[in-house]
């Protein structure tokens, strides 16, 4: 049986019940008066501002409310993205549907999806997706070897449950250039296609070639004997070294790059396939009374990493974008961050709707 990687969990989606501050009518200002930062405390939205002020080395963000108020911190430095990177795979899928390369109604053998699933490495995301889609399974594998699933439904699993197999399936099927082109359409140049499956497999065995994790993922997918025995005799990485491993070999990018991508989706400049991207990202309603008609989200997490990417649209088309990357969190900080996820996301919603919150974030240096 494959070893489990309990520290790696599926990306968390926006929690129901989050509220945000009502939209402000304040005009943009050229100067900001900075009050002392709140006490660092992940159990409140204000406390998250305090955490960022006290630990600026662990946070990067890019905020633009679309009304002239912006804030950035360390936004041009590459950091781990975890599953927030999957918006690029979504873009590649959407562009392929738009040009006829892919048919969203194509029936895919569930076995072709299952081959990209590494049990014990995704926090239960894959099985949760199978359950939501009504695909019978035994908790590890589908029970009907002849079962099929719509390609578009597979893609919902990548966004909603943050299934790791779907992005690698799309990479294998579409190729790296399709991913690079999808990133470039969103203003993200020099994109390096990641392997979500390969990086988690590499965490289970310190002896693998980290320079070619994509080959590892493909062998795992297509060599049944290798897949059946992988991890049973491996030398797992020391828990204390996992943070360094994921920082070096996991999906990376800057807050600014991810923000540009979300902005292109929100304002429509992404072009071909933008409707499909929105349909998948904007499956949740925006918070009430915040002035938005649509909200898209994709986040992610890995040991020591918690990431969020939001795009919002107003009735007049004005977008708002909030990207926040937490990285290098200690075990205690990571546990607190994931436990208090609602409070963190509430802060991000307030940043999108309330210029005063953007001003407070602009004071972080």
């Amino acid at each position: 049986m494959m070893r489990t990687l309990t520290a790696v969990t599926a990306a968390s989606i926006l929690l129901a019940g989050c509220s945000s501050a009502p939209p402000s009518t304040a005009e943009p200002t050229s100067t900001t008066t900075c009050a002392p930062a709140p006490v660092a405390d992940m159990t409140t939205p204000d406390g998250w501002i305090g955490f960022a002020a006290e630990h600026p080395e662990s946070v990067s963000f890019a905020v633009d409310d679309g009304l002239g108020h912006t804030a950035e911190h360390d936004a041009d430095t590459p950091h781990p993205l975890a599953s927030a990177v999957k918006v690029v795979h979504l873009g590649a899928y959407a562009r392929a549907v738009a040009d006829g390369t892919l048919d969203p109604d194509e029936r895919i053998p569930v076995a072709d999806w299952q081959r990209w699933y590494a049990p014990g490495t995704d926090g239960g995301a894959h099985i949760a997706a199978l359950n939501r889609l009504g695909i019978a399974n035994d908790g590890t594998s589908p029970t009907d070897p002849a079962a099929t699933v719509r390609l578009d439904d597979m893609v919902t699993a990548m966004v909603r449950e943050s299934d790791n197999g779907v992005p690698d399936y799309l990479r294998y099927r579409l190729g790296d250039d399709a991913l690079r082109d999808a990133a470039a359409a969103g203003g993200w140049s020099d994109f390096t296609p990641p392997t979500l499956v390969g990086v988690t497999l590499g965490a289970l065995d310190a002896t693998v070639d980290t320079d070619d994790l994509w080959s590892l993922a493909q062998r795992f997918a297509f060599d049944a004997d290798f897949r059946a025995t992988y991890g049973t005799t491996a030398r797992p990485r020391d828990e204390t070294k996992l943070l360094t491993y994921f920082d070096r070999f996991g999906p990376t990018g800057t807050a600014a790059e991810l923000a540009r991508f979300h902005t292109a989706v929100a304002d429509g400049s992404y072009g071909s396939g933008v409707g499909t991207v929105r349909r998948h990202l904007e499956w949740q309603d925006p918070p009430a009374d915040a002035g938005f008609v649509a909200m898209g989200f994709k986040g992610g997490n890995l040991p020591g990493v918690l990431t969020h990417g939001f795009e919002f649209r107003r009735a007049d088309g004005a977008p708002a974008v909030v990207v926040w990357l937490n990285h290098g969190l200690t075990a205690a900080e990571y546990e607190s961050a994931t436990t208090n996820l609602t409070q963190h996301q509430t802060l991000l919603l307030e940043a999108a709707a309330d210029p005063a919150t953007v001003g407070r974030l602009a004071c972080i240096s």
Side-chain angles (χ1 to χ4, degrees), residues 24-247:
S24 168
T25 58
E27 293 297 321
T29 58
S30 58
T31 60
T32 299
T33 300
C34 294
V39 175
D41 176 11
M42 292 180 174
T43 66
T44 68
D46 268 10
W48 271 99
I49 295 178
F51 177 81
E54 188 172 310
H55 303 279
E57 75 287 350
S58 296
V59 171
S60 62
F61 57 77
V63 179
D64 186 340
D65 72 354
L67 302 176
H69 312 94
T70 63
E72 289 188 352
H73 170 68
D74 199 27
D76 293 316
T77 302
H79 291 296
L81 297 178
S83 289
V85 77
K86 293 172 184 174
V87 293
V88 176
H89 300 78
L90 176 59
Y93 165 76
R95 288 163 59 87
V97 168
D99 70 16
T101 300
L102 294 179
D103 177 359
D105 292 321
E106 179 185 356
R107 303 298 303 190
I108 306 298
V110 175
D112 286 355
W113 178 10
Q114 186 72 14
R115 71 173 67 251
W116 296 99
Y117 169 53
T121 65
D122 69 350
H126 179 69
I127 299 305
L130 295 184
N131 290 338
R132 176 175 60 82
L133 295 172
I135 299 172
N137 64 87
D138 60 10
T140 301
S141 304
T143 54
D144 179 2
T148 63
V149 60
R150 285 179 69 243
L151 176 58
D152 200 67
D153 289 336
M154 281 178 61
V155 174
T156 69
M158 178 177 71
V159 175
R160 300 188 187 191
E161 287 85 13
S162 207
D163 182 274
N164 284 336
V166 176
D168 275 21
Y169 169 88
L170 291 172
R171 178 183 177 183
Y172 179 79
R173 188 160 175 185
L174 294 174
D176 287 359
D177 284 347
L179 293 177
R180 295 188 187 98
D181 291 345
W188 187 339
S189 60
D190 300 321
F191 178 76
T192 300
T195 166
L196 281 300
V197 175
V199 74
T200 52
L201 291 174
L204 297 173
D205 187 354
T207 67
V208 302
D209 180 4
T210 51
D211 291 329
D212 198 6
L213 292 174
W214 182 223
S215 290
L216 172 65
Q218 292 177 87
R219 184 181 180 191
F220 182 85
F222 293 102
D223 185 334
D225 292 337
F226 179 74
R227 182 167 65 252
T229 59
Y230 186 81
T232 57
T233 60
R235 178 167 62 85
R237 297 181 188 277
D238 188 290
E239 290 288 336
T240 61
K241 297 180 180 178
L242 275 178
L243 293 182
T244 301
Y245 168 78
F246 284 117
D247 278 357

